Amino acid sequence: MNKAVQSDYWDEWQREALAAGVKPALAKLGMEVLRAHRKNRWPKHFLGQMDDAPMMLSMCLEEPDESELLFIENLHPYDAKLIAATKKRLCFE
């Protein structure tokens, strides 16, 4: 298969999430978690393994705000301002 047309599992996950009704911004965040895990070779205990994809989709559908915060915390663990702003926007304070 041509690399230009090949789809990675994180892109497929994002399409599946959108089709299931996940808001576009949250689907993009989830995709970024999956992609970052693979590209950065994070340890297995970090969120974002391919095996985590179904659970991440369920989380997004059942608890979208909690999922957004979790994804932000995973993608930007040292960005205290972003995490605090996300908590405030999602009313977790």
Side-chain angles (χ1 to χ4, degrees):
M1 181 178 271
N2 182 341
K3 181 70 174 163
V5 221
Q6 183 178 358
S7 177
D8 293 303
Y9 67 87
W10 49 81
D11 293 324
E12 293 172 18
W13 182 90
Q14 184 177 17
R15 284 190 292 275
E16 183 179 339
L18 290 169
V22 174
K23 291 181 181 177
L26 183 55
K28 184 174 189 277
L29 272 177
M31 178 274 299
E32 289 174 357
V33 169
L34 291 164
R35 182 179 60 202
H37 188 285
R38 176 72 175 105
K39 298 286 184 177
N40 295 318
R41 300 185 189 281
W42 287 347
K44 290 182 179 182
H45 64 278
F46 280 45
L47 181 67
Q49 292 188 79
M50 189 182 335
D51 292 344
D52 292 337
M55 181 254 323
M56 289 172 60
L57 179 56
S58 294
M59 288 171 42
C60 289
L61 293 170
E62 295 167 15
E63 298 179 326
D65 290 348
E66 291 83 351
S67 299
E68 180 179 348
L69 179 58
L70 179 64
F71 295 167
I72 291 288
E73 290 171 333
N74 274 266
L75 288 167
H76 310 285
Y78 304 110
D79 192 338
K81 287 182 181 180
L82 175 61
I83 293 170
T86 302
K87 285 180 178 180
K88 185 175 182 177
R89 182 174 48 79
L90 297 174
C91 299
F92 284 122
E93 291 187 336

